[in-house]
Amino acid sequence: MNDFFKLTASDVDFYYGDFKALKNVSLNFIEKEVMALIGPSGCGKSTFLRCINRMNDLISGTRVDGSIVLDNVDIYNDRIDVVNLRKKVGMVFQKPNPFPKSIFENVAYGLRVNGIRDKNAIAGMVEKSLIQAALFDEVKDRLKDSALGLSGGQQQRLCIARALAVEPEILLMDEPASALDPIATQKIEELIHQLKKDYTIIIVTHNMQQAARVSDKTAFFYMGELVEVNKTDTLFTKPEKIQTEEYITGRFG
Amino acid sequence: MIFNRKTTEKTVHSMFFLITTVSLTVLSLIMLFLFTESIPLFETVSIKDFLFGEFWYPTDEPAEFGILSLIIGSLYVTIISSVIAIPLGLMTAIYLAEIASERMAEIVKPIVEMLASLPSIVIGFFGMVVISPLLQETFDVPIGLNLFNASLMLAFMIIPTICSLSEDAIHSVPVALKEASLALGATHLETIIKVVIPASISGICTAVILGMSRAIGETMVVLMIAGGAAMIPTSIFDPVRPMPASIAAEMAETPFGGEHYHALFATGLVLFIFTLMFNMVAAYISNKYRQVGEASL
């Protein structure tokens, strides 16, 4: 175990019933770095991401072996409170999934469930989070309007603001731009650049150019195994493994 | 060939149109009949005396046709049965949709739906034979066939309706919304209360109102166990005479075409207006709060 790493996954195996979706994955994350997880569909990258905030707990018949250690605490320890873990590890999903509430209430939701009652504090945090997510200027005059009236890209930034409001330390992003058009995607990518000053970000993406643009490190998954992890520049220019090279040059996947 | 296909299509379309027309025509004729048979009453009794008259003495000389006590009887059984059935039905629905394990839900759901198929006469019989003596003993009331007994039995009749429709609504809340809530550090309970229920509120309201409309229109249970006294109740252990019970009990006894006969049709019309209002409110709510669901792009 190394204090240097914010998050350490060691020998993680993951099962959906009898199907082994992750095989012996070990991966370390440094604080305030962006790690991209790439690989073909079904390679286990999203499954791995969802192990980090224990979102897979919701699926019955799943099992995790190995350990994932966050700030020197094993998050699969029985005494861990999943609710606290999820406050520390925020998540942005593939499809924008705002609540059918107002823009303001969407961002305030996480604060309210975490016991913050002070109205001024909530208003301040909501504004701060919306500014952080580069959405505030677009919505400041209609915070009371339904979030469902926003465009897809705005909704996704709202979901990012919502995750940031809880002040997590790690931000998990599961293909956050895959449902968005190129302009909205660019905004999300710019946002990731801003956010990495304060957060450790782990992003799953199908888009290799995106991985190359936003991440410091990239991990390539294939068939449930971690094939290769390296600095993004190195991985994309001088991959060590033949599978990585074939994937990034588009020969399969 | 092409010509033949077109002809077949047209024939099928006309057939469906014809069948639809037949069903709608029959329904409208029934409604028309209800109106035409009610109207003659108002030649002798004013609408105000009919709706707000306290005394229902249809066979006296002179007869009195005030259905206020019948309307109040209907409203009371509906309200009290709803007060019992809504929390029970809703909580069962939440349990089945959100909390119970898949296996548990698989076992319990069919049982709830089976309850919905219990014939109302069986429920009425149960209320008469089991609940009525029980009430007399427990609460020391003179009559076991009363407002409370009828409401209780009606509640058990409408719980399956409320439960099963709410369960569908709750179940259809997108997983993405629940995940979003949990990922923000909300507990399962907070997620249910603050996300799942608000997202399915239109379906839940519809379920509740349809359940209530079933309760107000139900005949056999109230005929058997509401007690049948046309009076405005002062306690929940007083007997009442809801509108459907009055119609069912008296229709066979009354001379065709007489004042009493028309008064019963007019009562049916009032009942129809009530259930129509319930259904319209249900339709309005489900439109207004229609679940927009997962974000669309």
Side-chain angles (χ1 to χ4, degrees), chain B residues 10 33-34 40 69 101 108 155 162 173 207 209 213 236 242 254 270 277 293:
Chain B
K10 273 191 175 165
F33 180 69
L34 185 62
S69 60
S101 66
V108 179
I162 295 179
V173 173
I209 290 166
S213 121
I236 57 167
T254 180
V270 173
M277 270 176 358

Side-chain angles (χ1 to χ4, degrees), chain B residues 124-191:
Chain B
F125 194 60
F126 181 78
M128 203 174 226
V129 175
V130 180
I131 305 297
S132 171
L134 203 69
L135 287 181
Q136 278 176 309
E137 276 172 38
T138 319
F139 297 100
D140 196 27
V141 289
I143 323 158
L145 301 175
N146 55 31
L147 173 57
F148 182 68
N149 191 346
S151 304
L152 196 64
M153 292 297 103
L154 277 182
F156 281 97
M157 266 192 77
I158 65 174
I159 283 173
T161 308
I162 295 179
C163 175
S164 153
L165 292 176
S166 312
E167 203 266 345
D168 290 345
I170 295 169
H171 203 85
S172 67
V173 173
V175 178
L177 284 186
K178 292 184 239 174
E179 284 189 340
S181 167
L182 293 167
L184 289 168
T187 62
H188 190 188
L189 188 66
E190 286 166 334
T191 303

Side-chain angles (χ1 to χ4, degrees), chain A residues 80-149:
Chain A
I80 277 285
D81 181 356
V82 183
V83 168
N84 284 331
L85 169 71
R86 291 183 186 145
K87 284 174 199 168
K88 230 168 144 175
V89 184
M91 186 163 193
V92 177
F93 295 84
Q94 187 173 355
K95 275 172 88 180
N97 53 355
F99 300 123
K101 299 173 187 282
S102 70
I103 294 168
F104 183 91
E105 282 305 319
N106 260 279
V107 185
Y109 182 85
L111 304 170
R112 294 196 204 278
V113 298
N114 288 320
I116 299 174
R117 294 274 168 272
D118 179 1
K119 278 190 184 154
N120 293 328
I122 290 177
M125 301 277 275
V126 168
E127 184 175 332
K128 184 180 149 210
S129 308
L130 285 170
I131 291 171
Q132 256 187 314
L135 185 63
F136 187 69
D137 289 338
E138 290 161 57
V139 301
K140 63 185 172 199
D141 300 323
R142 47 171 174 153
L143 291 175
K144 295 251 185 308
D145 291 1
S146 168
L148 302 178

